[in-house]
Amino acid sequence: MPRLVEVAVEPLCPSTFAPFGTIVGAVGGSPALDWGTLQTWMAPFDVDGPTQMTLCRYHREPVEWSQMERHLGVTQAFLPLGGVASIMVVAPGSDPADRTALPPPDRVRAFHMGVVLHRGTWHALRRFPVGAPLIDIVLLTGRDTQAELERQARDGSLPHLTHESDYAAVHGVTFRAVGL
């Protein structure tokens, strides 16, 4: 029986999230474009190959998990819609040559979201809506990464751009977010 590790949900601020990525909407410095009533800032996003925008719907479920994944060929942006709070679970990147090189369980963190993940940042497979039955999220990702995941769901083929691993199998633990 796996041991349960509780992960406190942390406030999302640039300094605490920096090891995993950046916050969407954290505006700083001078705008790239300043045109009277319009200002724009460059948001970090990087992909090997074409970009794909996907609408994801996550239904409310217990905030518990053991499986995590990471993407090596793309940063990923998760943009929640409709003002619904949601939890993003992350862990720092690890050896990209080892598909199951999960960081130790005490490195897993949980944040409210609206983020861009660095390449190789581990994250739970699900997002967890808080206080609502579901959340819609715009996902900016790589078209090749998304196509591999869809192919894996159809026929079980192992993706190359994404690594998946299970803390229950590797470390004998499952997780639950607390302090929502």
Side-chain angles (χ1 to χ4, degrees):
M1 180 80 179
R3 174 176 59 96
L4 178 66
V5 174
E6 291 185 338
V7 178
V9 177
E10 302 176 49
L12 187 61
C13 70
S15 61
T16 57
F17 197 75
F20 313 105
T22 58
I23 298 172
V24 173
V27 175
S30 298
L33 173 66
D34 191 346
W35 237 350
T37 60
L38 167 68
Q39 291 83 39
T40 65
W41 286 262
M42 292 305 181
F45 186 80
D46 186 43
V47 61
D48 295 340
T51 301
Q52 180 165 330
M53 183 171 73
T54 303
L55 178 64
C56 305
R57 175 167 287 162
Y58 294 93
H59 294 268
R60 191 171 187 171
E61 62 182 316
V63 188
E64 299 176 352
W65 69 95
S66 65
Q67 294 182 317
M68 304 272 284
E69 68 181 4
R70 63 177 170 183
H71 307 287
L72 303 178
V74 63
T75 60
Q76 283 192 315
F78 296 89
L79 312 169
L81 302 174
V84 175
S86 182
I87 304 299
M88 168 65 84
V89 175
V90 294
S94 55
D95 181 0
D98 184 348
R99 297 184 70 84
T100 61
L102 287 168
D106 64 351
R107 303 286 309 273
V108 173
R109 311 265 296 273
F111 295 91
H112 289 281
M113 66 171 231
V115 298
V116 178
L117 299 179
H118 295 312
R119 289 178 189 237
T121 294
W122 287 96
H123 59 280
L125 302 179
R126 299 169 296 189
R127 293 334 126 233
F128 302 99
V130 176
L134 59 87
I135 185 171
D136 289 332
I137 296 171
V138 171
L139 167 63
L140 294 178
T141 190
R143 186 172 64 199
D144 297 340
T145 296
Q146 186 66 25
E148 274 193 344
L149 293 174
E150 291 171 8
R151 191 169 39 254
Q152 179 187 21
R154 278 192 314 273
D155 64 23
S157 59
L158 190 63
H160 299 287
L161 299 172
T162 298
H163 295 168
E164 296 175 358
S165 196
D166 191 333
Y167 271 92
V170 175
H171 291 289
V173 300
T174 60
F175 299 94
R176 178 185 326 144
V178 296
L180 308 177

